[in-house]
Amino acid sequence: MRSPRKLIGGLGLLAVAGTVAAIGAGPLLVSGADHLDSPLVKIDARVDITDVYAWRTSASTTTLAVNVNPLTSPADTKGARFRQTALYEIKVDTTGDAVADIAYRIKFSNLTRFSDGTNTQTFTVKRAVGAAARRTEWTGTTVAVGRTSRYGGTNRIAAVAGGGIAFAGPRDDPFFFDLVGFKHLKSRVLAGRQDLGTANDATNCALADDDASARLLSCFTGSDTFAGTNVSSIVLKLPNAKLGGTGHTVGIWATTAIQTKSGWQRIDRMGRPAINTVFNITDGEKDLSNLVNPADDRSTMKDTTVAVLNALSAVVVHAGATGYTPAQINAIANVLLPDTLRIKLGSTAGFLNGRKPADDVINAEFSLVTNGALTSDGVNANDKAFLSAFPYLAAPH
């Protein structure tokens, strides 16, 4: 059995990892990583960013991946597609100011449906730099044109001008976490409960989350909430020279926008796993976070981030462990904001250096707030093995 101190460490980190919050419409309709994180993104799953990844694939190349269409069942994956009136962007900050210096933009068109229920679309990738990269618009130099892969079919890969390859199509959701357990934990914290209890306590988990006897860890069972579900993925493998240069640290994030009569309307934004989902409390705060840029994060959401960390620190103290000091809380908030995924190009460093599909971000961020007291939510690997070759993400269920 894990020690109370490690359990408490896990509790604090689960929040920082940000994989939580239920929207109360059924066991799969929950927010994790950034699945279904705000009212705007719930309008159309095709522009709901679930996760962003950036990882070293060789000394001179980096792979970037963005997933949308959360929690897609195998039956629904056949017909899943990208929105053709949407703009998908991967932004790159090369100067450390949380402002985009490079943008890779992807649009989809020419939907073709097949008799077996599958479909393909044309995808076009543009690259923009400088001031143009900071805007949300369909401009830049076309660097790739390809077709999405059909469900159950061969992976179709397009060449990227100047080096690199591109993929778009259905994949297994690589995110893994016992989100149901954490949903109850957060609800119980918000209801004022502070007793830890023990994991997999079915009797205690049966209690309503606001019951005075409800304990925080009871509903963790080690079950991967995302097992058996799929996403729609965009994967780009690019030379480091196109992202800022080997040895250079850059910030990565993704955005989606939809075309309206008055121009492009931002819908979603994500860098690190689920910063918006956990540290913004109200629907309005979550939508605002998606609409602004990373450079605005500390001014718009640092107060709520600090407030959530303070609330969790109170639980830590109640359990007899040492809570965070104000200085530590401020430091953690400054690490998490602005919300960009930082990666040193070409580096083999692991912790907080980009994000690989196989990374257990829950455990990694446990280490961040527990000073190396590693713990686990009980789900330590994806339900399907990742590929050793591009596009690296596992085939869909």
Side-chain angles (χ1 to χ4, degrees):
M1 180 179 294
R2 291 176 289 171
S3 70
R5 181 171 296 276
K6 285 192 175 183
L7 286 171
I8 270 294
L11 166 63
L13 223 302
L14 284 165
V16 173
T19 40
V20 38
I23 66 172
L28 285 182
L29 292 180
V30 290
S31 302
D34 262 39
H35 302 62
L36 302 169
D37 69 350
S38 77
L40 274 177
V41 302
K42 293 170 191 173
I43 294 172
D44 188 341
R46 295 172 297 176
V47 289
D48 178 1
I49 302 169
T50 68
D51 287 283
V52 176
Y53 299 87
W55 74 98
R56 178 190 189 272
T57 38
S58 76
S60 60
T61 62
T62 298
T63 295
L64 311 177
V66 178
N67 295 334
V68 296
N69 267 332
L71 299 162
T72 307
S73 69
D76 290 338
T77 303
K78 272 190 174 185
R81 61 191 187 279
F82 297 90
R83 180 165 172 157
Q84 298 195 156
T85 56
L87 178 62
Y88 301 81
E89 293 191 86
I90 302 174
K91 304 276 197 178
V92 185
D93 163 30
T94 63
T95 60
D97 60 359
V99 174
D101 300 292
I102 302 168
Y104 281 90
R105 295 174 169 140
I106 304 96
K107 278 187 93 276
F108 295 85
S109 59
N110 300 323
L111 176 67
T112 301
R113 293 187 176 89
F114 296 89
S115 59
D116 63 355
T118 63
N119 62 66
T120 66
Q121 297 166 277
T122 297
F123 68 86
T124 302
V125 183
K126 291 181 180 287
R127 184 177 188 270
V129 298
R134 297 165 201 153
R135 299 189 289 268
T136 300
E137 58 187 22
W138 183 231
T139 62
T141 302
T142 298
V143 294
V145 178
R147 292 288 288 181
T148 61
S149 297
R150 292 170 63 182
Y151 177 66
T154 302
N155 291 334
R156 305 181 69 163
I157 297 171
V160 177
I165 47 181
F167 166 91
R171 297 278 92 187
D172 160 68
D173 189 340
F175 186 59
F176 49 96
F177 179 48
D178 182 356
L179 183 60
V180 173
F182 194 60
K183 175 189 77 72
H184 288 285
L185 181 149
K186 184 176 183 181
S187 295
R188 292 176 178 197
V189 168
L190 292 176
R193 309 284 74 81
Q194 292 188 325
D195 292 334
L196 287 176
T198 58
N200 208 13
D201 180 353
T203 301
N204 187 266
C205 188
L207 297 174
D209 289 341
D210 59 356
D211 188 293
S213 300
R215 295 174 180 173
L216 302 181
L217 301 175
S218 303
C219 304
F220 281 98
T221 63
S223 299
D224 181 5
T225 304
F226 304 94
T229 69
N230 299 320
V231 290
S232 298
S233 302
I234 298 168
V235 188
L236 303 178
K237 182 177 180 180
L238 300 167
N240 292 342
K242 297 295 184 179
L243 298 171
T246 298
H248 196 73
T249 298
V250 301
I252 306 289
W253 66 98
T255 66
T256 57
I258 59 173
Q259 200 165 23
T260 69
K261 291 181 179 179
S262 57
W264 291 102
Q265 171 64 58
R266 172 86 61 78
I267 297 296
D268 203 0
R269 171 174 70 94
M270 184 186 178
R272 296 183 187 276
I275 297 301
N276 188 8
T277 304
V278 166
F279 292 105
N280 285 314
I281 307 303
T282 69
D283 284 347
E285 290 168 346
K286 291 176 181 178
D287 276 337
L288 175 62
S289 185
N290 285 329
L291 296 175
V292 301
N293 295 312
D296 303 312
D297 283 343
R298 288 185 183 171
S299 63
T300 58
M301 65 175 294
K302 185 172 179 181
D303 287 348
T304 58
T305 301
V306 168
V308 169
L309 290 171
N310 273 320
L312 290 165
S313 185
V315 175
V316 170
V317 172
H318 179 79
T322 302
Y324 307 123
T325 67
Q328 288 170 328
I329 287 174
N330 187 67
I332 292 171
N334 284 335
V335 167
L336 297 174
L337 303 173
D339 182 15
T340 66
L341 191 59
R342 305 285 289 174
I343 180 171
K344 185 175 182 179
L345 301 174
S347 171
T348 57
F351 186 60
L352 290 182
N353 185 50
R355 181 185 178 190
K356 300 185 292 295
D359 284 347
D360 190 332
V361 294
I362 304 302
N363 289 352
E365 294 194 26
F366 282 177
S367 181
L368 173 66
V369 295
T370 60
N371 262 339
L374 299 177
T375 57
S376 173
D377 66 317
V379 182
N380 299 315
N382 191 44
D383 61 323
K384 294 192 71 173
F386 296 110
L387 305 180
S388 60
F390 190 83
Y392 303 111
L393 304 182
H397 296 271

